[in-house]
């Protein structure tokens, strides 16, 4: 899992806090993704970036704000979250196109 | 619309027996198909993919998958299961005609291998 790293691995936050999740890929890829994985639910795609440009936003609430400053780094800024936002947030990267994605270990988020 | 279905929430197999984890897909064109595995508290790990060519695809850790266009299936198989294969398995699909690069994942199948 050294190809895609995510920090922090665990995060507990209150509903009024602001925090950020960080993802970094060391694979030379040019596409990056955020996914949400909740218990008993399929993996949900949140955002896609190709060559630093956001190409998909899967109807994600505005309390989640992505940022991709370069093709190696991806952030997910969080503010005024709800308890139902508690989940495992996974970052992935790939070459742009129909190639396999490589996943980070995830950030386990708990919203109190 | 693209979709992928994993009809079994859980598959139970005894160690040493063959295993199959089922996946069916629906796309408007030709599919790119993937299998991933997830161990507890870890991210997803890529196992294998089908793009074109031979219908039997070999992947990591002794896993293989068979692409069947007429049945729109891409079942994951292994001739002899190990206890360490116990994990959550995801099938994913991308439509070649899609401009984006995102994959559509199934809901996952938990594989439990008993000793």
């Amino acid at each position: 899992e050294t190809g895609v790293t995510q920090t922090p691995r665990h995060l507990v936050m209150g509903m009024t806090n602001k925090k950020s999740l960080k993802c970094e890929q060391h694979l030379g890829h040019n596409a990056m993704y955020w996914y949400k994985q909740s218990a008993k639910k399929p993996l949900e795609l949140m955002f896609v970036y190709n060559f630093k440009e956001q190409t998909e936003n899967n109807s994600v609430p505005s309390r989640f704000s992505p940022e991709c400053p370069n093709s190696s780094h991806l952030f997910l800024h969080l503010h005024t979250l709800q308890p139902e936002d508690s989940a495992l947030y996974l970052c992935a990267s790939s070459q742009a196109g129909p190639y396999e994605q490589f996943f980070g270990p995830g950030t386990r988020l708990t919203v109190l | 619309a693209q979709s992928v279905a994993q009809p079994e929430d859980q598959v139970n197999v005894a160690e040493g027996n063959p295993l199959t984890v089922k996946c069916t897909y629906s796309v408007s064109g030709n599919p790119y198909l993937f299998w991933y595995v997830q161990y507890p508290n870890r991210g997803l790990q890529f196992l294998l993919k089908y793009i074109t060519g031979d219908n039997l695809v070999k992947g990591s850790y002794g896993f293989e998958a068979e692409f069947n266009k007429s049945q729109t299936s891409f079942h994951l198989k292994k001739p002899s299961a190990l206890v360490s294969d116990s994990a959550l398995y995801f099938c994913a699909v991308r439509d070649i005609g899609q401009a984006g690069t995102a994959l559509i994942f199934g809901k996952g199948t938990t594989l439990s291998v008993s000793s």
Side-chain angles (χ1 to χ4, degrees):
Chain A
E1 295 174 341
T2 55
V4 180
T5 58
Q6 289 186 243
T7 54
R9 292 293 306 274
H10 301 271
L11 178 62
V12 179
M13 58 188 289
M15 292 168 60
T16 58
N17 291 158
K18 290 184 180 181
K19 296 287 184 183
S20 295
L21 310 184
K22 179 183 176 182
C23 175
E24 183 174 1
Q25 59 97 0
H26 312 272
L27 301 169
H29 292 159
N30 41 39
M32 296 188 77
Y33 315 79
W34 278 117
Y35 288 89
K36 177 183 178 182
Q37 187 177 28
S38 306
K40 311 288 185 186
K41 291 176 116 176
L43 215 62
E44 300 172 59
L45 176 67
M46 300 176 73
F47 301 104
V48 180
Y49 279 82
N50 280 290
F51 297 96
K52 302 186 298 177
E53 298 296 321
Q54 185 176 311
T55 56
E56 287 192 47
N57 175 339
N58 233 18
S59 303
V60 180
S62 59
R63 57 186 183 269
F64 295 92
S65 174
E67 178 189 2
C68 189
N70 55 61
S71 48
S72 297
H73 293 86
L74 185 64
F75 294 88
L76 188 62
H77 303 299
L78 316 171
H79 63 99
T80 58
L81 295 191
Q82 306 297 312
E84 59 266 28
D85 296 322
S86 298
L88 183 67
Y89 288 84
L90 293 165
C91 173
S93 71
S94 75
Q95 293 294 350
Y99 300 101
E100 59 270 30
Q101 296 176 14
F102 292 82
F103 284 78
T107 295
R108 174 69 63 185
L109 174 67
T110 302
V111 182
L112 302 176
Chain B
Q2 303 175 85
S3 66
V4 61
Q6 294 179 244
E8 303 154 316
D9 288 338
Q10 179 146 349
V11 170
N12 299 308
V13 176
E15 187 174 32
N17 284 358
L19 69 88
T20 299
V21 183
K22 295 180 180 177
C23 172
T24 59
Y25 65 89
S26 174
V27 299
S28 56
N30 291 318
Y32 288 172
L33 293 156
F34 303 81
W35 274 103
Y36 286 82
V37 61
Q38 185 179 31
Y39 296 98
N41 300 313
R42 304 280 292 276
L44 277 67
Q45 295 178 35
F46 169 73
L47 279 179
L48 50 80
K49 66 181 177 184
Y50 172 83
I51 304 297
T52 186
D54 288 341
N55 290 341
L56 186 63
V57 178
K58 294 190 182 297
S60 306
Y61 312 119
F63 283 94
E64 57 190 27
E66 186 170 9
F67 172 67
N68 188 317
K69 188 171 184 178
S70 62
Q71 296 186 7
T72 62
S73 67
F74 189 56
H75 300 332
L76 181 70
K77 300 182 180 184
K78 188 173 183 181
S80 179
L82 300 172
V83 172
S84 58
D85 292 330
S86 299
L88 182 58
Y89 290 81
F90 291 96
C91 180
V93 66
R94 179 186 175 274
D95 189 340
I96 290 177
Q98 285 284 319
T101 60
L103 301 177
I104 305 298
F105 284 85
K107 62 179 173 61
T109 298
T110 299
L111 173 66
S112 179
V113 182
S114 56
S115 57

